[in-house]
Amino acid sequence: MEEKSTSVNVGGGGVNVNTGKGKPGGDTHVNVGGKGVGVNTGKPGGGTHVNVGDPFNYLYAASETQIHEDPNVALFFLEKDMHPGATMSLHFTENTEKSAFLPYQTAQKIPFSSDKLPEIFNKFSVKPGSLKAEMMKNTITECEQPAIEGEEKYCATSLESMIDYSISKLGKVDQAVSTEVEKQTPMQKYTIAAGVQKMTDDKAVVCHKQNYAYAVFYCHKSETTRAYMVPLEGADGTKAKAVAVCHTDTSAWNPKHLAFQVLKVEPGTIPVCHFLPRDHIVWVPK
């Protein structure tokens, strides 16, 4: 890759996609919503439960809890609302759940299937029935489900396999980008600034970080995706560059998916967009 292109830096316990701009360490990524996607740990003492309802898996219906409590609710918006001056309330938090990639050779030797769960739990000293066990089980279950119509999916268990998959689906990759924010802030109003940039008009591979014992990404390739880099400015002056992915064909999505419930639109009628949380990556073709 040329020097100006993005470097994917795997270190510090997490995946850091460095776009090569800004001060060293100044490109903290954002996680819109706490401990990862689709997991609600409830209130202290209130018991813990896992929402099997990853908002980026379009087969799922949203639960009532998710509609009212899920911090990802604010992620979804309509493409026509993505213009300078538009405002939305967002919470960019730093993810405390760091999981590093395993080397390719190591990852290949470790089972990753629901029928091998006891062996997997044993290997990573995870107690069956615990929150971590439930999260890992959900990740494997989602990975084993068929892709929705019009998309191809793949769960990458190493950085090499994620790069290989992206290149195999896109040919040449121009860049890998993720959302960046200057600093962690509470939920606040962000205004879209001038300079919204379209990165791809049709196909892209989007990889969503999953909750697991090591870094696993749920990647899906779509031919009906537009990706944008959206400059945002918070009410407190914090600047962010958020990756927005717009789906131009939502006809195969679950009609009760979170996006439709939040936006009050029907499947297949109008492009639906969402910001990518921290540690999620969009691979853009050349």
Side-chain angles (χ1 to χ4, degrees):
M1 290 192 187
E2 298 162 42
E3 267 194 356
K4 67 175 175 58
S5 68
T6 303
S7 62
V8 179
N9 168 27
V10 185
V15 180
N16 176 24
V17 178
N18 177 3
T19 53
K21 299 180 189 78
K23 319 182 282 296
D27 60 345
T28 320
H29 297 299
V30 295
N31 171 32
V32 186
K35 300 262 183 189
V37 177
V39 176
N40 180 357
T41 52
K43 296 174 188 65
T48 303
H49 64 280
V50 179
N51 277 345
V52 186
D54 180 343
F56 304 115
N57 185 328
Y58 308 116
L59 288 170
Y60 281 137
S63 65
E64 275 303 309
T65 319
Q66 205 177 11
I67 293 164
H68 297 297
E69 293 181 15
D70 193 331
N72 295 296
V73 164
L75 282 176
F76 293 97
F77 57 95
L78 298 175
E79 192 172 33
K80 66 183 179 63
D81 297 330
M82 187 171 49
H83 55 80
T87 60
M88 47 190 85
S89 292
L90 295 166
H91 188 197
F92 292 122
T93 65
E94 210 170 353
N95 193 356
T96 52
E97 301 271 318
K98 300 284 187 192
S99 53
F101 270 120
L102 293 180
Y104 176 76
Q105 304 291 359
T106 310
Q108 291 301 98
K109 291 176 187 153
I110 297 173
F112 188 80
S113 65
S114 46
D115 58 355
K116 293 281 198 309
L117 275 171
E119 189 183 330
I120 296 167
F121 291 156
N122 188 40
K123 179 164 186 66
F124 292 102
S125 307
V126 173
K127 188 179 168 203
S130 65
L131 174 66
K132 185 156 193 179
E134 285 302 302
M135 284 177 2
M136 289 171 67
K137 180 180 165 189
N138 286 347
T139 292
I140 289 180
T141 303
E142 285 189 22
C143 286
E144 289 176 340
Q145 283 180 333
I148 65 167
E149 198 181 325
E151 289 198 343
E152 297 174 48
K153 62 174 273 198
Y154 172 72
C155 280
T157 55
S158 68
L159 178 64
E160 292 90 338
S161 60
M162 178 163 63
I163 293 170
D164 287 349
Y165 176 78
S166 302
I167 290 170
S168 75
K169 296 298 167 193
L170 299 174
K172 289 197 168 138
V173 171
D174 181 38
Q175 52 183 341
V177 288
S178 65
T179 298
E180 302 169 21
V181 71
E182 278 181 338
K183 63 177 192 287
Q184 194 170 329
T185 64
M187 168 78 84
Q188 64 167 336
K189 197 157 274 183
Y190 280 87
T191 303
I192 297 179
V196 175
Q197 176 199 348
K198 187 188 281 186
M199 295 186 290
T200 175
D201 206 13
D202 49 10
K203 64 179 178 178
V205 169
V206 183
C207 295
H208 304 288
K209 182 90 182 277
Q210 301 299 294
N211 289 297
Y212 206 68
Y214 52 91
V216 170
F217 280 78
Y218 170 92
C219 298
H220 51 110
K221 179 226 177 182
S222 169
E223 300 278 353
T224 55
T225 300
R226 288 195 275 268
Y228 297 86
M229 183 60 84
V230 182
L232 297 168
E233 189 160 329
D236 68 351
T238 300
K239 289 186 167 59
K241 286 193 299 182
V243 176
V245 174
C246 295
H247 299 271
T248 55
D249 181 5
T250 59
S251 54
W253 292 22
N254 188 314
K256 288 196 164 22
H257 185 270
L258 185 63
F260 302 133
Q261 308 225 31
V262 171
L263 300 172
K264 308 282 188 281
V265 296
E266 300 287 319
T269 53
I270 187 168
V272 168
C273 306
H274 59 80
F275 285 123
L276 280 193
R278 175 194 182 276
D279 280 349
H280 295 215
I281 301 167
V282 61
W283 298 82
V284 178
K286 264 207 164 89

